[in-house]
């Protein structure tokens, strides 16, 4: 024989010894990473291009960092596409550990095309940099057949560039790395149906009962897209009233606007609709004057009326949720006098945030505080959305994948949206159905390309509305 007959070249016992020594070294000097197998959900039939893929499983695995002196690759690069991170990483994992631990766990997971070895396209979470790397090449013959066998896989990885893949492995450290990546739309949905409750007190002397508008004014708008009501100025309680220097004795009003009214010149305009009372104040002996302060609006005017036994500030004890329209406010009447009337204000999330008086009433007495009843929400909203699930609009048939769901605010973040949502339609998931209240316009854009900010900055430099963007000579 050509080889030394007293040594076994490639005996199973020798190979197992080498493998055990390598496994021990990896556990001693390695880093615990997470291995994420790629699930190929949709591919083209011609060139097998991956249209949709996802990562729903992560497996902890020890790996030796071969690039011990730092990331390889060209590093941070400034290009015409913006700032790009082009870091590379080389990791070494045990062949035996992968085949005995990971392969059996992923062989029955659908849409995984290769389970016997690491596959190019799979991801590795590197905890030291809190980053995801994509495997670009798997070297399985290095070192080259020691004792007639290979013992490790060398994974040559590049920093993962997100392309709308679903990453929901159930490990917060991993999922958080891509939660704000990609183009994300957000919708504000109706919350659970919880009835709101509120309480109030009695103003025994000189409360502002109501404000009556005598002139709507005109031009109460600051831009073509956003309306701001004027600030209501109410004269203070007279100084002869004890404690009148304390501003809590002064009434507070909130103006409301109405738009699309036609002026005498035929131009559509926004005008003052009325004044709602947030705080009736205390101790007025004469009706206070009412003024309107606004940047552009002029001409609005109103008078006020005071009374004893009005209702005071309303305290929201339970904001409730699930309100699509403002709830009806019902107030018990006094023994003798005038029953108060009010309007509830709801937020974009369908929560009652305030109750304001249209008429604070007359004749309410201490010890007989009336009850305030807000009608129940008119919604059938229920359930919670799961990150990574596909939801569908009931009217538009638009679909999207859930990126994040915040039940407390009613905000649903979606990615990979294939259409346009419709306000008022239901967003239907596996275990949840909720109505769209607001289609938010502040969509989040992938940080890999800063195109929106670049375009905005460019518009400030070059005026493309002119024929000559550099100005007229």
């Amino acid at each position: 024989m050509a080889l030394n007959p007293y040594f076994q070249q490639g005996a199973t016992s020798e190979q197992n010894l080498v493998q055990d020594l390598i496994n021990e070294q990896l556990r001693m000097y390695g880093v615990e990473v997470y291995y994420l197998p790629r699930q190929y959900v949709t591919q083209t039939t011609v060139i097998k291009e991956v249209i949709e893929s996802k990562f729903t499983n992560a497996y902890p695995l020890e790996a030796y960092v071969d690039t011990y002196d730092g990331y390889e690759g060209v590093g941070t690069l400034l290009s015409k596409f913006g700032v790009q991170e082009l870091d590379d990483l080389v990791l070494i994992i045990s062949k035996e550990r992968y085949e005995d631990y990971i392969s059996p766990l992923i062989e029955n997971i659908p849409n995984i095309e290769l389970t016997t070895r690491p596959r190019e396209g799979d991801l590795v979470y590197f905890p030291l940099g809190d980053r995801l790397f994509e495997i670009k090449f798997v070297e399985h013959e290095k070192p080259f057949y020691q004792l007639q066998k290979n013992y490790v896989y060398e994974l040559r990885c590049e920093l993962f560039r997100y392309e709308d893949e679903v990453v929901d492995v159930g490990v917060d450290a991993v999922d958080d790395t891509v939660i704000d990546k990609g183009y994300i739309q957000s919708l504000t949905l109706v919350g659970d149906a919880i009835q709101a409750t509120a309480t109030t007190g009695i103003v025994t002397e000189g409360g502002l009962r109501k404000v009556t508008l005598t002139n709507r004014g005109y031009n109460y708008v600051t831009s073509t897209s956003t309306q701001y009501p004027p600030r209501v100025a109410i004269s203070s309680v007279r100084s002869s009233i004890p404690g009148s220097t304390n501003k809590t004795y002064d009434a507070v009003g909130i103006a409301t606007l109405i738009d699309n009214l036609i002026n005498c010149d035929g131009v559509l305009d926004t005008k003052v609709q009325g004044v709602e009372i947030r705080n009736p104040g205390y101790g007025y002996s004469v009706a206070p004057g009412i003024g309107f302060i606004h940047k552009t609006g002029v001409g609005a005017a109103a008078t006020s009326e005071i009374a004893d036994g009005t209702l005071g500030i309303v305290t929201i004890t339970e904001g409730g949720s699930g309100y699509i329209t403002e709830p009806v406010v019902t107030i018990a009447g006094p023994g003798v006098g005038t029953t108060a009337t009010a309007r509830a204000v709801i937020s974009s999330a369908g929560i009652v945030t305030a109750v304001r008086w249209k008429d604070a009433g007359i004749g309410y007495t201490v010890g007989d505080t009336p009850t305030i009843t807000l009608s129940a929400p008119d919604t059938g909203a229920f359930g919670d959305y799961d990150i990574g699930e596909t939801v569908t609009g009931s009217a538009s048939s638009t679909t999207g994948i859930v990126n994040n769901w915040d039940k407390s605010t009613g905000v649903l973040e979606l990615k990979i949206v294939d259409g346009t949502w419709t306000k008022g339609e239901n967003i239907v998931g596996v275990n949840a159905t909720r109505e769209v209240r607001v289609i938010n316009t502040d969509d989040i854009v992938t940080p890999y390309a800063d195109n929106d900010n670049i375009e905005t900055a460019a518009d400030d430099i070059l005026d493309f509305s002119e024929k000559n963007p550099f100005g007229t000579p």
Side-chain angles (χ1 to χ4, degrees):
M1 295 181 61
L3 299 177
N4 190 325
Y6 298 102
F7 292 89
Q8 298 179 353
Q9 299 292 331
T12 301
S13 58
E14 293 176 339
Q15 293 174 344
N16 290 342
L17 175 61
V18 174
Q19 184 71 73
D20 290 343
L21 291 173
I22 290 174
N23 293 348
E24 183 178 356
Q25 294 294 307
L26 290 174
R27 289 190 176 97
M28 290 174 59
Y29 303 110
V31 176
E32 185 178 279
V33 301
Y34 279 93
Y35 187 88
L36 284 67
R38 184 185 293 265
Q39 295 173 251
Y40 297 84
V41 180
T42 306
Q43 298 184 44
T44 59
T45 57
V46 179
I47 60 174
K48 297 297 183 181
E49 179 186 8
V50 179
I51 303 300
E52 181 184 356
S53 62
K54 62 182 180 179
F55 302 87
T56 59
N57 297 275
Y59 306 98
L61 184 68
E62 64 276 4
Y64 179 76
V65 183
D66 195 37
T67 49
Y68 59 89
D69 57 347
Y71 295 115
E72 293 184 348
V74 299
T76 304
L77 177 67
L78 178 61
S79 71
K80 63 181 179 180
F81 301 107
V83 178
Q84 296 176 291
E85 295 284 351
L86 301 177
D87 292 331
D88 296 349
L89 186 68
V90 179
L91 299 173
I92 296 175
I93 65 172
S94 166
K95 185 173 183 289
E96 180 185 69
R97 282 278 290 154
Y98 185 92
E99 294 172 351
D100 292 349
Y101 166 50
I102 295 181
S103 291
L105 295 177
I106 66 175
E107 61 183 2
N108 294 321
I109 297 177
N111 302 317
I112 293 182
E113 296 187 348
L114 181 64
T115 63
T116 56
R117 69 165 180 85
R119 178 179 172 86
E120 292 79 0
D122 292 351
L123 301 185
V124 175
Y125 173 72
F126 186 57
L128 299 184
D130 190 26
R131 289 168 142 191
L132 281 171
F133 285 83
E134 182 177 357
I135 300 174
K136 293 298 184 180
F137 181 72
V138 179
E139 175 58 72
H140 64 283
E141 293 183 317
K142 182 180 179 182
F144 192 71
Y145 292 102
Q146 294 180 343
L147 297 179
Q148 304 181 28
K149 186 181 178 181
N150 296 312
Y151 306 92
V152 297
Y153 291 117
E154 182 182 82
L155 311 180
R156 301 177 187 175
C157 310
E158 293 181 2
L159 191 64
F160 176 53
R161 293 184 62 83
Y162 182 78
E163 295 179 356
D164 285 334
E165 292 89 347
V166 175
V167 179
D168 181 24
V169 301
V171 180
D172 291 342
V174 179
D175 294 340
D176 288 349
T177 60
V178 296
I179 196 170
D180 59 349
K181 302 295 191 296
Y183 188 80
I184 301 171
Q185 291 186 356
S186 58
L187 307 174
T188 300
L189 308 183
V190 172
D192 291 340
I194 300 175
Q195 188 168 358
T197 58
T199 60
T200 187
I202 307 295
V203 179
T204 58
E205 181 181 350
L208 179 61
R209 177 192 169 189
K210 64 179 180 179
V211 176
T212 302
L213 202 67
T214 59
N215 192 328
R216 294 184 184 276
Y218 60 93
N219 201 31
Y220 284 93
V221 62
T222 57
S223 70
T224 58
S225 60
T226 306
Q227 298 177 2
Y228 298 91
R231 183 166 63 90
V232 179
I234 303 175
S235 57
S236 299
V237 177
R238 292 182 180 273
S239 59
S240 60
I241 302 300
S244 63
T245 56
N246 188 336
K247 292 303 181 183
T248 58
Y249 285 83
D250 295 336
V252 178
I254 305 294
T256 59
L257 296 178
I258 182 170
D259 56 9
N260 293 328
L261 293 182
I262 301 176
N263 287 330
C264 295
D265 56 5
V267 177
L268 291 177
D269 196 5
T270 299
K271 300 174 180 290
V272 176
Q273 170 75 353
V275 174
E276 297 171 344
I277 301 170
R278 189 172 66 184
N279 180 358
Y282 174 80
Y284 285 98
S285 58
V286 296
I290 307 295
F292 297 90
I293 302 173
H294 195 261
K295 185 176 181 181
T296 61
V298 293
T303 60
S304 66
E305 181 181 332
I306 61 173
D308 298 336
T310 64
L311 296 184
I313 299 173
V314 177
T315 300
I316 305 298
T317 55
E318 167 59 65
S321 63
Y323 286 96
I324 301 172
T325 58
E326 296 177 351
V328 176
V329 182
T330 305
I331 302 102
V336 178
T338 303
T339 302
T341 58
R343 181 179 74 91
V345 179
I346 60 175
S347 69
S348 60
I351 299 171
V352 175
T353 58
V355 173
R356 301 171 183 166
W357 299 118
K358 295 181 178 180
D359 185 335
I362 303 174
Y364 290 95
T365 58
V366 176
D368 192 21
T369 304
T371 57
I372 299 178
T373 304
L374 289 88
S375 61
D378 49 353
T379 176
F382 68 91
D384 291 310
Y385 301 97
D386 296 325
I387 295 176
E389 75 164 308
T390 300
V391 296
T392 305
S394 60
S396 64
S397 298
T398 299
T399 63
I401 295 177
V402 176
N403 185 66
N404 191 42
W405 162 240
D406 189 337
K407 186 175 183 178
S408 63
T409 61
V411 175
L412 177 67
E413 293 183 356
L414 299 161
K415 61 177 62 175
I416 318 179
V417 177
D418 67 354
T420 302
W421 307 105
T422 302
K423 184 177 179 180
E425 71 174 334
N426 287 325
I427 303 300
V428 181
V430 176
N431 300 307
T433 297
R434 296 176 184 271
E435 185 174 327
V436 178
R437 286 186 53 83
V438 180
I439 300 174
N440 302 315
T441 57
D442 55 341
D443 300 332
I444 305 170
V445 180
T446 171
Y448 291 123
D450 209 15
N451 296 337
D452 282 3
N453 292 332
I454 292 174
E455 181 178 353
T456 301
D459 289 343
D460 292 337
I461 299 172
L462 301 178
D463 184 3
F464 290 99
S465 64
E466 302 292 340
K467 294 182 179 180
N468 183 354
F470 298 97
T472 303

